[in-house]
Amino acid sequence: MNIGTLLPRHARYRADHLALVCGDTRLTFAELGARVNRVANGLLSLGLAKGDKIAVVVPNCLEVLEIYWAAIQVGLVLVPLSPLLRGRALASLLNDSHASAVIGAHELADELTSIRDAVPGIAAGRWVEIGGGSAEGVASGFRSYRALVSAQTADAPPTVAILGDDLFNIIYSSGTTGTPKGIVHTHDIRAMYCTLFASAFRITPESVVLHAGSLVFNGAFVTLLPALFLGATYVLQQRFDAKAFIEIVEREQVTHVMMVPSQILAVMNAPNFSASRLSSLQMLGSVGAPLHREHKERLTTALPTIFYQLYGLTEGVITILDRDDVTRKAQSVGNSTPFFEMRIMGEDGRDLPAGAVGEIVGRSPLLMPGYYGRPDLTEQAIVDGWMRTGDMGYLDDDGYLYLVDRKKDLIISGGVNVYPRDIEEVIVTHPDVLEAAVFGIPSDKWGEAPMGAVVLRGGSELDAATLKRWVNERVGARYQQLCDVVILTEFPRNAAGKTLKRVMRDEYWADRAVRI
């Protein structure tokens, strides 16, 4: 499998079909193919060769997609990095990935300049800046992306022999529970993304696929690769805005979109939200975290028969709740996809029966070969070919998975397992609550106690004490009662839009011993 052959094929056989929409730019496959050829030739002019790692530290824009397709066409390994990274954290990942070149946004030039001495593996001529002009205006020591590309021919770059087990990318985990790990994907794995997700989400060559999240996030590839595989139209929203998102869906007649729960909530609460404006949608998928029941019911009432839910790890364990199963299996995160095997494992390593909660383990053709440069961590994560997810769940009699909670989020209070998601499901039923997050904080009496953080709907005057009392009257058990509640204007999130519970806990409450 060679993902780099897909765009040249469409540029030849699907030349006039609309390939990409980004802002005011609209490109056919022939036009996109020519642009990507120039970028590929530009990358080769830097002296890069098959197997070299190229880091991309750029917010959503047309150039990111050009670089992605150009890099894989000539056998380079993509290393997408969040533009939110700074200082030592950024330098660490550039070094960890053995990056040979970096392409950064103009607004990050000062940040990248400050760490250049700490990243000796990137030669002086391989620091490239996007957005600084053709020559003038580019930060000292950087090449201009625009000048680099414009100097190249649109002819196809030299052919590179790429095999299925060659590296496609190194995707770094969010690092929400520690140091980020480089997750390796090959061309074979990404080819399975093309076919498996195209089938699961009913994407066709005539589909219009919108992406509204960060292209750094692995979830972007869940729809990006099927769109490329089939030659569908891909629409990129450069910066998510709920009102603008709805306008784009209506204008471009978008059929498929994958979003994180916080984006779905923002869309449902946008002033221009209506079923008629989103009537072109055939698939609206949720990824990154389970959508709470209250929000799922509201969405499926307004937009029936289009909701899908994806549970998965970038490492390669996934389930999908199909649109036709949403009503009868509303609380499930779906079942295993073709070629995927899943088990629920107890503490003793044995399989558990239906209904019993244990660790979710799985294996599939999507499974990573390992963490880059970390065989020790790989051996801990993949045991006898099975990926240990660290997530807790159970299977029903029909084989559908129910995610209880992340193992790392489990609260042990007075020796009892407390699952934050169960409490969150209660909190979000309050009419004034927009979002909720529950996590454990130290307790002198219980070891840990559940604490709640919420974002309220605009105009609400609800206070923390009233909300705490309201929740504690409705949870099912004494050990689920909140010890405290804090009201925030917004939750801290990573580039993928995931709520960072660890940041909230560490920043505000990790040093508080609650006496309850």
Side-chain angles (χ1 to χ4, degrees):
M1 304 291 184
N2 177 358
I3 304 301
T5 63
L6 294 177
L7 180 57
R9 182 182 187 279
H10 295 316
R12 181 177 184 182
Y13 298 114
R14 205 168 170 75
D16 296 328
H17 188 79
L18 182 61
L20 178 62
V21 178
C22 182
D24 295 330
T25 302
R26 306 177 74 84
L27 299 173
T28 65
F29 275 107
E31 293 167 335
L32 179 60
R35 292 175 68 109
V36 168
N37 283 347
R38 288 192 174 91
V39 177
N41 289 321
L43 295 177
L44 293 178
S45 75
L46 298 176
L48 298 172
K50 177 185 173 180
D52 285 340
K53 319 305 189 300
I54 178 169
V56 183
V57 198
V58 184
N60 282 8
C61 61
L62 170 61
E63 289 84 353
V64 172
L65 293 173
E66 291 178 345
I67 295 164
Y68 279 11
W69 302 146
I72 62 172
Q73 200 165 305
V74 294
L76 302 179
V77 181
L78 291 170
V79 185
L81 297 177
S82 170
L84 302 179
L85 286 167
R86 294 291 184 270
R88 285 187 296 177
L90 178 55
S92 174
L93 297 190
L94 290 172
N95 287 322
D96 186 79
S97 64
H98 297 117
S100 296
V102 60
I103 300 179
H106 173 66
E107 56 269 28
L108 294 176
D110 290 344
E111 191 68 36
L112 288 167
T113 298
S114 71
I115 64 170
R116 289 182 65 164
D117 290 343
V119 190
I122 301 179
R126 293 178 177 174
W127 296 77
V128 181
E129 178 188 315
I130 288 178
S134 57
E136 67 283 351
V138 178
S140 175
F142 285 81
R143 287 175 178 259
S144 163
Y145 177 85
R146 186 186 305 174
L148 177 70
V149 172
S150 62
Q152 309 302 320
T153 173
D155 295 339
T159 301
V160 177
I162 299 173
L163 303 177
D165 58 359
D166 284 331
L167 299 195
F168 178 100
N169 66 251
I170 302 171
I171 296 281
Y172 279 89
S173 63
S174 61
T176 56
T177 59
T179 303
K181 300 179 288 289
I183 300 165
V184 171
H185 292 133
T186 64
H187 280 255
D188 274 348
I189 290 172
R190 290 311 196 179
M192 286 301 299
Y193 270 64
C194 291
T195 55
L196 191 152
F197 290 124
S199 172
F201 299 133
R202 299 171 174 85
I203 302 174
T204 73
E206 291 70 45
S207 296
V208 179
V209 179
L210 170 62
H211 185 66
S214 171
L215 287 171
V216 172
F217 174 36
N218 186 62
F221 291 92
V222 169
T223 52
L224 176 58
L225 286 169
L228 177 69
F229 169 62
L230 294 167
T233 299
Y234 191 79
V235 182
L236 177 64
Q237 186 176 18
Q238 292 183 259
R239 179 172 300 198
F240 177 71
D241 174 82
K243 185 173 181 291
F245 170 91
I246 294 169
E247 293 169 354
I248 292 171
V249 171
E250 185 175 34
R251 181 177 67 247
E252 302 295 340
Q253 289 296 284
V254 170
T255 59
H256 293 72
V257 63
M258 182 68 73
M259 309 175 77
V260 295
S262 59
Q263 292 176 322
I264 295 174
L265 284 177
V267 168
M268 289 195 294
N269 287 286
N272 57 339
F273 174 73
S274 72
S276 61
R277 301 196 73 172
L278 301 175
S279 60
S280 64
L281 287 177
Q282 300 168 17
M283 172 267 202
L284 192 160
S286 177
V287 68
L291 187 65
H292 287 123
R293 177 176 55 200
E294 180 81 7
H295 303 144
K296 188 186 299 185
E297 291 175 352
R298 181 183 167 201
L299 175 66
T300 54
T301 297
L303 300 169
T305 72
I306 69 166
F307 179 73
Y308 295 72
Q309 184 156 299
L310 171 67
Y311 158 73
L313 279 71
T314 302
E315 286 88 340
V317 175
I318 62 166
T319 62
I320 295 175
L321 179 65
D322 187 76
R323 66 183 189 188
D324 294 337
D325 293 328
V326 168
T327 301
R328 69 188 186 93
K329 299 287 186 181
Q331 290 303 99
S332 168
V333 291
N335 55 26
S336 53
T337 60
F339 311 120
F340 175 64
E341 299 174 78
M342 179 175 53
R343 299 159 43 209
I344 303 298
M345 190 175 71
E347 292 289 342
D348 59 1
R350 297 182 181 181
D351 290 354
L352 296 176
V357 174
E359 183 176 6
I360 303 164
V361 299
R363 62 184 179 187
S364 79
L366 300 184
L367 188 62
M368 66 171 185
Y371 295 114
Y372 185 72
R374 293 301 305 269
D376 55 330
L377 296 180
T378 302
E379 290 176 4
Q380 294 173 24
I382 303 176
V383 180
D384 297 328
W386 292 84
M387 177 73 199
R388 304 190 61 158
T389 67
D391 293 341
M392 307 298 289
Y394 65 91
L395 298 173
D396 67 12
D397 291 331
D398 298 322
Y400 284 75
L401 177 66
Y402 293 75
L403 185 64
V404 174
D405 226 317
R406 304 289 184 179
K407 194 172 184 178
K408 63 179 179 288
D409 290 338
L410 178 67
I411 302 168
I412 301 178
S413 183
V416 177
N417 290 349
V418 181
Y419 298 103
R421 189 179 171 208
D422 292 341
I423 307 171
E424 291 166 358
E425 292 283 8
V426 174
I427 299 174
V428 296
T429 62
H430 192 290
D432 284 4
V433 173
L434 183 63
E435 291 187 85
V438 172
F439 43 85
I441 61 172
S443 167
D444 284 351
K445 184 175 182 180
W446 304 108
E448 282 188 299
M451 171 138 190
V454 300
V455 175
L456 299 179
R457 298 183 185 279
S460 172
E461 296 182 356
L462 182 66
D463 63 88
T466 301
L467 178 59
K468 173 187 170 182
R469 185 166 55 251
W470 185 92
V471 172
N472 288 347
E473 289 172 353
R474 287 164 173 79
V475 292
R478 171 68 180 83
Y479 54 77
Q480 292 178 316
Q481 292 185 356
L482 299 175
C483 65
D484 202 357
V485 172
V486 66
I487 296 174
L488 304 177
T489 56
E490 61 181 9
F491 287 162
R493 306 183 193 280
N494 65 13
K498 293 183 181 179
T499 298
L500 299 177
K501 291 185 179 181
R502 178 178 62 85
V503 171
M504 288 190 281
R505 181 170 54 236
D506 291 352
E507 185 170 348
Y508 299 104
W509 306 286
D511 59 347
R512 287 177 53 183
V514 178
R515 294 169 172 81
I516 58 173

